[in-house]
């Protein structure tokens, strides 16, 4: 272990020497850059001609441009640094884009949508900023419990590491499920209740080491260099989204630069990265963007440096791409996708004996009594065509295919009194393969400045081949949990109408229809929201949504062997049902300071529980990030989540920002025994404080920033171990009659990030160091039983962990 730490320290010394040498070097860099983009109507997607775009932050002469017949504009010689743009157009609400980062290494390309004004002569026009105001999502039908995010957000916050999920854990109502992973708990719901969309496709888990039934993993496959402005929703989402009860990530990928070739090289926690974007044809406006990444820790291993999770090194690689081809009459053909694979060997047989002899030794990433070999592969590919059908109607067609391939084998280890491994016995084997073919249709019609209709259709046809077996070498038996090769179809359709009575008052109502071929169930879900702009700085919103989610295919096909054959007792399980109620109050205290208060209530029903009386509920299955083998389930469980959230946010201005979020909530459920208990996620409170300050330093006025994050979360509720039963069985046995009754100590963690940006001639260098869990606080994740030591041991979350990164764009 000391040898490993020594090598790690050598690595940090080399990194620091490199950073210091770069910072200390002088040089005269480029001082201006081009800002380009396109302006369209928010609803009809029609390019707007003659829109005025001005750079109003520069102390020199006012710079600007107007859009051409295709809505495009370009402003040259814009000074580097943070700039503010103002967009104005007769008959449309003006828009301001503040603190946009202009760098030497990349042109700034903006896609801007404007909202047509419906103001009357005696009204005061209420304006808003759709890029910096986080209430203004890409989807203008998301009026409650939603906000947008972009590349800057994933990079700016301490501890986010360029990961959308880790970034979202800073928002009100969101809790990270596990420091070593990016699963998130939204308002007391299981992480399995999340929906991921990419360019309109419903996609599988977009994370490395993402198990079949999970929605997160240790490392995201989404490359932040490919991200465009995207949406995150936590409740009562619009009719467009279905088969989810917790939250939605609606991810958009940016188009490549269609006028200039640009490259990026990056190294950090997420991997070694190389990327390129540029024009395929400047005259036709076609472009590409491609980014490839390979595991940093995997490279370290090849260099002989053991620097992984508990001595076990994860290997992964991924590719993100998008190719865009404009067509006649403002149409566009797009090819996009994400490809990734990952593997790790969790070898208990390789753990040093000195570590094993320590009291209460435990490893969050493996088991000293097992050797495990998991591998994962995910592909997501899509092609879309969008076109303006008429002056008022826009349509988009998308075809996609996604697949997941997960394999797992595990061996039990036998040790002698000297802790030497004397034998291995096969313990478990699993393979989970899925393939999904998707068709998506989306259309939007703008009847006039007040009325619009959004409609669409999803068809997801999924093939799955699932196999899971446990071996019991001591009795020479095995138990097959799942063995099925089948297919199913989830069909969804929706329509939502939006009416703007005025610039102050808007209303939206719609419905989502969902059919599942496996159980033949069809449901219709009403959705609606209402927003009233009390004044130019205050607004009140109400939202409601009925949502359903199908049980996982693994749960549906969990099997029982009987004398007459195999029985799938869960096959007819129905959708879980969830009613969401939300009230939101927004107050823009100043131009850059906003206070948001939100209250919510969620009622869950039709939750799968055991037919016999027990505390089990599928609500809690996401806590282990793996599948549940429970059989004989029925839709008789219930649950409630309710709470209040406060967000005080100062948008980046005059060199600093802060974000303070507080959530007070309660999350309860009832199993088939009808006893109300805490869910696995009922931490009851979350408090986040994030802040950052940017300085201009040196004679070339480069950029130095400091960012801090402090998080305090109520203690988790755990199910106590039954020590006597664990001794008899030789593995952890929990007292399920007291499920989630023992509250742990509160969680506390602080992260610090320092970043430096230097502009060169036609290139930009960014260097950052993230110090995670600076105080080294030990936060309990779970408790388990170690049969070798005959002791109950605590598994702790991540300790102090430094993460350097370097990014070079040119």
């Amino acid at each position: 272990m000391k040898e490993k730490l020594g090598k790690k320290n050598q690595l940090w010394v080399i990194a620091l020497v490199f950073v210091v040498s770069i910072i200390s070097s002088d040089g005269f860099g480029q001082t201006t850059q081009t800002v380009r983009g396109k302006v369209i109507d928010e609803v009809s997607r029609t390019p707007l001609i003659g829109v005025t775009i001005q750079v109003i932050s520069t102390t020199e002469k006012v710079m600007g441009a107007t859009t051409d017949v295709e809505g495009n504009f370009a402003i040259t010689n814009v000074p580097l640094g943070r700039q503010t743009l103002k967009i104005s157009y007769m008959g449309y609400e003006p828009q301001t884009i503040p603190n946009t980062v202009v760098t030497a290494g990349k042109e700034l390309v903006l896609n801007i949508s404007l909202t047509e004004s419906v103001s009357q002569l005696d009204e005061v026009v209420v304006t808003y900023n759709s890029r910096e105001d986080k209430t203004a999502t890409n989807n203008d039908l998301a009026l409650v419990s939603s906000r947008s995010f972009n590349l800057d957000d994933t990079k700016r916050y301490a501890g986010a590491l360029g990961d959308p999920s880790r970034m979202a854990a800073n928002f009100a109502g969101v809790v990270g499920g596990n420091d070593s992973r990016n699963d998130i708990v939204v308002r007391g719901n299981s992480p399995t209740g999340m929906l991921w969309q990419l360019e309109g496709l419903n996609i599988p888990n977009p994370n490395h080491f993402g198990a079949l039934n999970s929605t997160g993993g240790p490392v995201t496959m989404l490359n932040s260099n490919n991200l465009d402005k995207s949406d995150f929703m936590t409740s009562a989402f619009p009719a467009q989204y279905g088969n989810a009860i917790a939250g939605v990530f609606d991810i958009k990928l940016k188009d490549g630069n269609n006028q200039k070739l640009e490259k990026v090289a990056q190294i950090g926690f997420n991997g070694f990265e190389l990327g390129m974007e540029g024009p395929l044809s400047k005259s036709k406006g076609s472009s590409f963007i491609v980014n490839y990444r390979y595991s940093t820790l995997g490279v370290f291993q090849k260099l002989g440096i053991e620097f992984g999770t508990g001595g076990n090194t994860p290997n992964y690689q991924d590719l993100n791409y998008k190719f865009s081809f404009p067509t006649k009459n403002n149409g566009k053909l797009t090819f996009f996708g994400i490809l990734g694979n990952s593997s790790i060997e969790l070898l208990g047989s390789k753990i040093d004996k000195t570590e094993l002899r320590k009291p209460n030794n435990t490893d969050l990433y493996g088991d000293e009594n097992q050797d495990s070999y998991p591998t994962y592969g995910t592909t997501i590919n899509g092609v879309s065509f969008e076109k303006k059908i008429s002056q008022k109607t826009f349509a988009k067609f998308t075809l996609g295919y996604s697949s997941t391939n997960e394999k797992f084998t595990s061996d039990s280890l036998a040790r002698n009194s000297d802790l030497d491994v004397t034998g291995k016995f096969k313990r478990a084997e699993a393979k989970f393969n899925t393939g999904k073919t998707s068709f998506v249709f989306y259309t939007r019609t703008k009847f006039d400045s007040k009325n619009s209709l959004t409609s669409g259709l999803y068809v997801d046809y999924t093939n799955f081949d699932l196999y899971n077996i446990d071996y019991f070498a001591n009795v020479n038996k095995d138990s097959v949990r799942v063995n099925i090769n089948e297919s199913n179809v989830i069909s969804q359709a929706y329509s939502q109408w939006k009416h703007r009575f005025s610039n102050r008052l808007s209303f939206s109502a719609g419905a989502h229809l969902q059919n599942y071929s496996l159980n033949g169930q069809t449901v219709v879900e009403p959705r609606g929201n209402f927003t009233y702009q009390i004044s130019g700085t205050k607004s009140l919103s109400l939202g409601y949504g009925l949502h359903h989610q199908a049980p996982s295919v693994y749960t549906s096909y969990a099997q029982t062997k009987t004398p007459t054959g195999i029985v799938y007792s869960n096959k007819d399980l129905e959708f879980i049902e969830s009613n969401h109620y939300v009230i939101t109050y927004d107050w823009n205290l100043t131009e850059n300071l906003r206070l948001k208060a939100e209250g919510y209530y969620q009622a869950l029903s039709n939750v799968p529980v055991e037919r016999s009386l027990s505390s089990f509920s599928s609500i809690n299955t996401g806590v282990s990030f793996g599948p549940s083998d429970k059989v004989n389930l029925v839709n008789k469980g219930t649950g409630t989540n309710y709470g209040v959230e406060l967000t005080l946010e100062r948008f980046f201005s005059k060199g600093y920002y802060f974000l303070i979020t507080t959530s007070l909530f309660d999350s309860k459920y009832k199993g088939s025994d009808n006893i109300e208990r805490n869910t696995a996620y009922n931490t009851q409170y979350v408090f986040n404080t994030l802040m950052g300050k940017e300085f201009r330093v040196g004679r070339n006025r480069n950029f130095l920033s400091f960012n801090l994050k402090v998080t305090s979360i109520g203690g988790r509720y755990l199910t106590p171990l039954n020590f006597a039963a664990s001794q008899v069985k030789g593995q952890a046995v929990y007292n399920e009659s007291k499920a989630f009754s023992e509250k742990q100590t509160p969680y506390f963690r602080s992260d610090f990030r320092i970043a430096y940006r230097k502009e060169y001639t036609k290139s930009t260098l960014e260097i950052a160091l993230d110090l995670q869990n600076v105080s080294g606080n030990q936060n309990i994740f779970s408790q388990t039983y170690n049969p070798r030591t005959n002791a109950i041991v605590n598994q702790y979350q991540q300790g102090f962990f430094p993460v350097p990164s370097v990014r070079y764009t040119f």
Side-chain angles (χ1 to χ4, degrees), residues 55 161 188 300 358 379 432 626 768:
V55 181
L161 301 177
F300 289 161
K358 291 181 179 179
T379 66
F432 305 137

Side-chain angles (χ1 to χ4, degrees), residues 133-174:
D133 183 355
K134 304 305 181 184
T135 64
T137 53
N138 288 325
N139 191 329
D140 66 301
L141 299 176
L143 300 180
V144 296
S145 301
S146 59
R147 63 182 289 154
S148 64
F149 64 92
N150 53 38
L151 170 62
D152 291 339
D153 295 325
T154 63
K155 289 168 51 182
R156 178 191 304 166
Y157 297 147
L161 301 177
D163 186 334
S165 293
R166 286 186 165 91
M167 174 214 61
N170 300 308
F171 300 156
V174 184

Side-chain angles (χ1 to χ4, degrees), residues 263-415:
K263 299 172 281 293
V264 60
Q266 182 170 323
I267 176 176
F269 169 78
N270 288 344
F272 285 90
E273 303 179 27
L274 292 174
M276 182 180 296
E277 62 177 290
L280 293 169
S281 171
K282 289 185 179 181
S283 60
K284 295 181 179 180
S286 56
S287 67
F288 74 94
I289 178 170
V290 177
N291 277 276
Y292 172 77
R293 172 173 53 189
Y294 188 85
S295 164
T296 305
L297 305 184
V299 173
F300 289 161
Q301 183 187 46
K302 294 182 184 299
L303 295 175
I305 303 173
E306 294 187 26
F307 182 46
T309 51
N312 306 295
T313 303
N315 290 280
Y316 53 85
Q317 58 183 329
D318 55 61
L319 178 74
N320 288 220
Y321 71 89
K322 186 177 184 180
F323 294 82
S324 302
F325 301 89
T327 61
K328 294 181 180 180
N329 300 320
N330 292 304
K332 187 167 75 168
L333 178 67
T334 302
F335 298 87
F336 61 91
I338 300 174
L339 314 173
N341 59 60
S342 52
S343 64
I344 188 171
E345 295 182 352
L346 301 170
L347 304 179
S349 60
K350 297 296 185 180
I351 298 177
D352 193 279
K353 291 182 183 180
T354 57
E355 293 295 314
L356 294 177
R357 291 190 175 97
K358 291 181 179 179
N360 295 329
N361 170 66
T362 184
D363 183 359
L364 182 58
Y365 304 98
D367 187 331
E368 66 172 70
N369 301 305
Q370 295 179 27
D371 281 352
S372 301
Y373 307 87
T375 63
Y376 305 83
T378 301
T379 66
I380 302 167
N381 295 282
V383 55
S384 66
F385 178 69
E386 57 187 74
K387 187 175 178 59
K388 199 174 66 169
I389 297 176
S390 68
Q391 192 63 28
K392 295 185 176 182
T393 301
F394 167 85
K396 181 178 180 180
F397 302 85
T398 306
L399 287 174
Y401 180 79
S402 57
S403 66
T404 64
N405 298 277
E406 178 183 349
K407 294 182 180 179
F408 174 84
T409 58
S410 177
D411 297 328
S412 293
L413 304 177
R415 296 180 184 271

Side-chain angles (χ1 to χ4, degrees), residues 268-574:
F269 169 78
N270 288 344
F272 285 90
E273 303 179 27
L274 292 174
M276 182 180 296
E277 62 177 290
L280 293 169
S281 171
K282 289 185 179 181
S283 60
K284 295 181 179 180
S286 56
S287 67
F288 74 94
I289 178 170
V290 177
N291 277 276
Y292 172 77
R293 172 173 53 189
Y294 188 85
S295 164
T296 305
L297 305 184
V299 173
F300 289 161
Q301 183 187 46
K302 294 182 184 299
L303 295 175
I305 303 173
E306 294 187 26
F307 182 46
T309 51
N312 306 295
T313 303
N315 290 280
Y316 53 85
Q317 58 183 329
D318 55 61
L319 178 74
N320 288 220
Y321 71 89
K322 186 177 184 180
F323 294 82
S324 302
F325 301 89
T327 61
K328 294 181 180 180
N329 300 320
N330 292 304
K332 187 167 75 168
L333 178 67
T334 302
F335 298 87
F336 61 91
I338 300 174
L339 314 173
N341 59 60
S342 52
S343 64
I344 188 171
E345 295 182 352
L346 301 170
L347 304 179
S349 60
K350 297 296 185 180
I351 298 177
D352 193 279
K353 291 182 183 180
T354 57
E355 293 295 314
L356 294 177
R357 291 190 175 97
K358 291 181 179 179
N360 295 329
N361 170 66
T362 184
D363 183 359
L364 182 58
Y365 304 98
D367 187 331
E368 66 172 70
N369 301 305
Q370 295 179 27
D371 281 352
S372 301
Y373 307 87
T375 63
Y376 305 83
T378 301
T379 66
I380 302 167
N381 295 282
V383 55
S384 66
F385 178 69
E386 57 187 74
K387 187 175 178 59
K388 199 174 66 169
I389 297 176
S390 68
Q391 192 63 28
K392 295 185 176 182
T393 301
F394 167 85
K396 181 178 180 180
F397 302 85
T398 306
L399 287 174
Y401 180 79
S402 57
S403 66
T404 64
N405 298 277
E406 178 183 349
K407 294 182 180 179
F408 174 84
T409 58
S410 177
D411 297 328
S412 293
L413 304 177
R415 296 180 184 271
N416 59 23
S417 57
D418 292 329
L419 302 181
D420 295 314
V421 175
T422 58
K424 293 185 179 182
F425 307 92
K426 181 169 283 191
R427 182 180 181 275
E429 181 181 358
K431 65 172 184 177
F432 305 137
N433 300 322
T434 69
K436 181 167 67 176
T437 303
S438 301
F439 170 75
V440 181
F441 172 67
Y442 171 90
T443 183
R444 194 158 194 195
T445 299
K446 178 181 178 180
F447 299 104
D448 52 42
S449 63
K450 293 185 176 183
N451 295 282
S452 64
L453 182 68
T454 303
S455 304
L457 174 71
Y458 300 94
V459 178
D460 292 321
Y461 176 83
T462 304
N463 292 288
F464 47 91
D465 182 6
L466 311 179
Y467 178 72
N468 189 9
I469 184 172
D470 288 337
Y471 297 98
F472 303 97
N474 57 334
V475 292
N476 197 29
K477 289 186 178 181
D478 58 58
S479 177
V480 178
R481 307 297 186 180
V482 168
N483 186 12
I484 190 71
N485 190 332
E486 264 289 355
S487 62
N488 63 35
V489 180
I490 293 184
S491 304
Q492 303 172 70
Y494 64 90
S495 188
Q496 189 156 351
W497 168 64
K498 182 178 180 180
H499 178 71
R500 302 172 66 212
F501 296 94
S502 67
N503 282 338
R504 293 183 181 275
L505 181 63
S506 65
F507 172 77
S508 178
H512 182 100
L513 181 145
Q514 186 166 296
N515 173 268
Y516 190 29
S517 65
L518 182 59
N519 58 19
Q521 186 181 6
T522 300
V523 292
V524 178
E525 306 166 338
R527 312 278 178 89
N529 51 56
F530 158 93
T531 295
Y532 177 63
Q533 197 84 23
I534 301 171
S535 68
T537 60
K538 301 174 183 177
S539 67
L540 180 68
S541 302
L542 301 173
Y544 167 75
L546 175 62
H547 307 269
H548 292 83
Q549 184 175 26
S552 74
V553 291
Y554 185 99
T555 298
S556 296
Y557 284 98
Q559 67 183 47
T560 304
K561 187 176 182 179
T562 69
T564 57
I566 302 299
V567 175
Y568 303 107
S569 57
N570 299 336
K571 190 175 179 179
D572 294 327
L573 283 174
E574 298 181 348

Side-chain angles (χ1 to χ4, degrees), residues 22 25-26 28-30 104 758-765 808:
I22 291 294
S25 65
D26 288 319
F28 297 96
Q30 178 178 331
K758 185 178 181 67
E759 304 291 353
Y760 293 90
T761 302
K762 298 183 180 181
S763 64
T764 300
L765 176 69
Y808 184 61

